[in-house]
Amino acid sequence: MVTVDPADQQRLLEVQALDTRLDQVQHTRATLPEAARAAELETLLRSLRDDVVLLRTKVSDLDREVARAENDVQAVRTRAERDRARLEAGQGSAKDLVGLQHELESLARRQSDLEDAELEVMERREEQAGLLEATEARLARTESEHDEAVAARDVRLAELASQEEALRDDRKAAATGLPEAMTRIYERLRDRLGSGAAPLVEGRCDGCRMPLAPSDLHALTSRPADELLRCPECERILVRDAGTAA
Ligand SMILES: [Zn+2]
């Protein structure tokens, strides 16, 4: 049997109330919507940054493809100009000139095909460049949203840290000088049940909320005031107020 001054038993309830509030602060910190929002935006930022890198690579690849297509077109044009010059100069045999005519016709077809191909590459390039621009704009917007979310999260974390510090100071003051035999039992129960002490309120344990059987209640309340009681249902330390203590 552990005996504890009733005033110290009351003080244990204060410690329990402060521990409950500390648990709440920790729960609030672990489930902070501002932190979830910041993390969500962080993930989005990473994916947008990857997209931008990918699109920049695509656009520069297509720039090279456009340049290559333009070179191909230019080579055919140069060849056709040279053939036309030779044709106009009328040099060579009639057979050569007929050959040049044929070549010019096939060069014209080839040039038209190459120009179509170039146009197609240019269109693809414009499409990807447009996508890149939109993604960069979205990235910039997301960056500022992320900055705001991080700032909001940090404000909440700072508030919680100062609440926690104040509660820890209060808890230390409330727990100072409590008998070790009682605090050991309390801590063990808290580890196991989440809370270690509860007041006896209107015939029920405020920890497990179980109404006590009249015989248990009578047995408990007739104990000396300095006897540390335990709830017969949940084993928590049961603290009587001055009125219910014998
Ligand atoms: Zn109980």
Side-chain angles (χ1 to χ4, degrees):
M1 188 188 83
V2 182
T3 56
V4 176
D5 185 304
D8 284 347
Q9 295 186 33
Q10 289 297 327
R11 208 135 59 78
L12 184 65
L13 288 180
E14 284 172 42
V15 170
Q16 175 62 80
L18 290 163
D19 279 340
T20 300
R21 287 177 62 196
L22 279 163
D23 287 346
Q24 285 162 353
V25 168
Q26 266 158 27
H27 176 76
T28 303
R29 180 168 37 223
T31 57
L32 213 54
E34 288 86 349
R37 177 77 182 137
E40 188 185 300
L41 286 166
E42 173 78 46
T43 305
L44 179 58
L45 267 187
R46 262 201 294 274
S47 122
L48 285 170
R49 284 188 186 123
D50 287 350
D51 290 351
V52 164
V53 168
L54 207 70
L55 286 165
R56 279 187 185 146
T57 308
K58 272 190 188 170
V59 168
S60 81
D61 285 351
L62 286 165
D63 278 341
R64 270 195 299 277
E65 249 187 83
V66 168
R68 236 184 346 255
E70 177 57 27
N71 276 343
D72 292 348
V73 170
Q74 195 52 49
V76 172
R77 273 199 206 111
T78 307
R79 177 84 180 256
E81 275 161 22
R82 199 193 58 197
D83 285 0
R84 254 192 305 277
R86 282 170 63 192
L87 201 62
E88 277 160 18
Q91 288 161 352
S93 65
K95 195 182 164 198
D96 287 346
L97 297 178
V98 169
L100 280 174
Q101 282 284 15
H102 284 152
E103 186 172 292
L104 274 169
E105 281 160 21
S106 95
L107 284 173
R109 279 195 301 275
R110 174 131 181 79
Q111 183 175 334
S112 161
D113 287 350
L114 287 172
E115 280 169 352
D116 286 350
E118 184 185 4
L119 210 64
E120 192 262 326
V121 176
M122 283 166 83
E123 276 167 8
R124 259 164 53 211
R125 194 252 174 229
E126 284 320 297
E127 194 185 308
Q128 296 300 314
L131 216 54
L132 172 60
E133 202 182 323
T135 308
E136 280 172 336
R138 186 161 178 226
L139 175 61
R141 277 199 308 276
T142 307
E143 266 164 353
S144 68
E145 278 171 26
H146 178 252
D147 288 349
E148 284 166 23
V150 165
R153 178 200 63 192
D154 290 350
V155 165
R156 290 289 288 129
L157 286 176
E159 284 169 7
L160 290 170
S162 84
Q163 274 176 33
E164 183 176 358
E165 200 188 333
L167 286 169
R168 286 202 186 285
D169 287 348
D170 290 352
R171 193 215 189 266
K172 200 175 163 195
T176 300
L178 288 180
E180 218 188 295
M182 179 175 71
T183 52
R184 246 200 329 270
I185 297 168
Y186 169 76
E187 291 299 345
R188 221 174 32 235
L189 288 165
R190 226 172 82 73
D191 280 349
R192 189 152 60 85
L193 304 170
S195 69
L200 179 63
V201 180
E202 289 169 359
R204 69 174 70 203
C205 159
D206 200 44
C208 63
R209 311 277 172 146
M210 290 292 283
L212 301 179
S215 54
D216 281 343
L217 185 62
H218 180 74
L220 286 172
T221 50
S222 57
R223 293 290 187 176
D226 65 353
E227 187 180 326
L228 197 65
L229 303 183
R230 306 284 290 275
C231 169
E233 299 293 338
C234 69
E235 294 183 40
R236 284 181 180 87
I237 295 169
L238 207 47
V239 179
R240 293 158 285 178
D241 67 27
T244 53

